Amino acid sequence: MNKNKYTKKQKKTIMRFRAVSTRIFAVLMLLGGIMGILLFLRPSTSNVEKRELTKFPKLTLASFLDGSFCSDVSLWYSDTFPMRDGLISIDQTLKTAYGVTTSTMMVGGNEQGDEIPTLSADAEAEDGDTQDSLVDMVVDTSEEPAEEAEPVSAPDSEAMEAEIQNQIQKGLYVKDGAAYSVYYYSQSAAEIYTDALNQAAQELQGQADVYSILVPNNSGAMLPEDELHSLGGSDQTQAIAYYHSLYDKVKPVKTIETLREHNDEYLYFRTDHHWTQLGAYYVYLNFCEEKGIEPHELSDFETMTFSPFLGTFYSQLMNGDMAKNPDTVTAYVPMGTNDMVYWDVDGTEYQWNIIEDVSTWGDSSGYYCYIAGDKPLTIIDNPEIEDGSSCLVLKESYGNCFVPFLVDHYDKVYVVDFRYANVNVVDYVKENNIQDLIVMNNITIIASDSVASTIAGLL
């Protein structure tokens, strides 16, 4: 066996290559270290992930002693690394170039939802009809001594945003240039959520009606049954029916059955986790039926269109098929007014449009055309109606494109985003003589104890 596998010339070449590689690696590590300490270059927001990045933690004696300060600094350091959006985009581009992504795939999805309790045949007969006998079994309707109300504090909006992103992206099914969220039911979150709405309805009885609108995610509304079941998530039709069965004095609005009836239409974006305003319109029709008012036709509204739109799924996946076939955002402008006022997290007041022209904002901004995005408090005063009628919508971003349809039915529309508000909603409804409280959320987002608890803390 020849032990001299390489010639002297070859050995020298190998040694030079190793030396050069070591120097390049050392230079890259040095550059990375220098970038890591450039505090002034650290981003505060991510355009790719559409969220605010972790802020530098406040040093307190307690956080220093329990070690949480050091942990929070580490999270801040990694989350705000300079050029993070560019690096994320490069990573996704390389994955695509090397064939890591395919036209059909699962991203995540290794989860197991809780078992959804089985309902009686009567309870399943018509979604939205809650049987009194069933309510008596699953909801303790006996009167209990009132507990002293606890002060309402503003939620940690960064933690809420992170948790919601986690819920949305737990499992993504990618197919033909579209991504679909997989839903995982949580029994504890369902109980927290429904208990809170029941308590609100009890406190507001005789003054305001409480409506619940549980919006399915796109997989539950759009995918064929056999394909949906193969993803291994929880049944959204069954989950929504179970939520409805737990309500007492809360008026549920039908959603998933209606959306499935129209799922050959453009009800959800392909590149984003939100529904389109057309999807919201069909649920608006159900709300009008439940409330007993006459809905408006889509043809009654002026429309604005924004294209191309590449949303949150594209930002996460950088999928080439999505980039080739971007979404289009169609917005319906209320007839009575397009004016609104909102207050930002720092209390600053802004005059804005209910439907804002975002055609120059960039490909990822289409959904921001609705009510200025997510704000702590928004008020819309319709000058065409002066009968004192009003509603308050407690929501996350799924409610943004639904709100414009309400404007032409009320004198005033109040909108509260639970992620940023610090108001006791029930007290606010009483103080402002609001007749309808509409709690509207995507069922995937509220399948989290922390999200459900945050909503409960405001009610």
Side-chain angles (χ1 to χ4, degrees), residues 233-306:
S234 303
D235 187 316
Q236 294 181 61
T237 300
Q238 184 182 355
I240 291 174
Y242 181 69
Y243 270 80
H244 288 181
S245 76
L246 297 179
Y247 288 145
D248 180 29
K249 300 181 178 65
V250 176
K251 297 185 176 185
V253 176
K254 291 188 289 187
T255 56
I256 190 166
E257 294 86 355
T258 300
L259 293 171
R260 288 195 66 81
E261 289 172 3
H262 292 272
N263 66 5
D264 58 340
E265 301 175 46
Y266 192 26
L267 305 184
Y268 288 78
F269 297 112
R270 296 180 299 273
T271 71
D272 189 78
H273 69 280
H274 294 106
W275 56 352
T276 67
Q277 201 174 12
L278 177 61
Y281 177 76
Y282 286 121
V283 173
Y284 153 76
L285 296 180
N286 289 342
F287 170 76
C288 289
E289 180 181 6
E290 180 67 32
K291 181 171 171 58
I293 57 178
E294 189 69 24
H296 296 288
E297 300 290 337
L298 277 179
S299 57
D300 295 338
F301 298 95
E302 176 190 347
T303 61
M304 298 176 70
T305 302
F306 309 104

Side-chain angles (χ1 to χ4, degrees), residues 127 183 185 189-190 193-194 197 211-217 221 236-247 250-257 259 268 275 283 286 396 398 402 438-447 455:
D127 182 44
Y183 169 65
Y185 172 77
Y193 189 84
T194 55
L197 267 66
Y211 295 87
S212 171
I213 303 179
L214 294 172
V215 186
N217 65 33
Q236 294 181 61
T237 300
Q238 184 182 355
I240 291 174
Y242 181 69
Y243 270 80
H244 288 181
S245 76
L246 297 179
Y247 288 145
V250 176
K251 297 185 176 185
V253 176
K254 291 188 289 187
T255 56
I256 190 166
E257 294 86 355
L259 293 171
Y268 288 78
W275 56 352
V283 173
N286 289 342
E396 29 76 13
Y398 258 76
F402 184 84
I438 304 168
V439 185
M440 181 176 197
N441 292 291
N442 176 264
I443 194 169
T444 295
I445 291 173
I446 61 171
I455 297 170

Side-chain angles (χ1 to χ4, degrees), residues 187-213:
Q187 179 67 29
S188 57
E191 292 174 356
I192 294 169
Y193 189 84
T194 55
D195 285 350
L197 267 66
N198 287 339
Q199 181 64 32
Q202 179 67 38
E203 292 188 34
L204 293 172
Q205 188 174 12
Q207 175 172 340
D209 291 324
V210 178
Y211 295 87
S212 171
I213 303 179

Side-chain angles (χ1 to χ4, degrees), residues 54-75:
T54 303
K55 295 180 181 178
F56 192 84
K58 183 178 180 180
L59 176 62
T60 64
L61 180 60
S63 66
F64 179 77
L65 293 177
D66 65 16
S68 61
F69 175 76
C70 294
S71 176
D72 291 342
V73 169
S74 177
L75 176 61

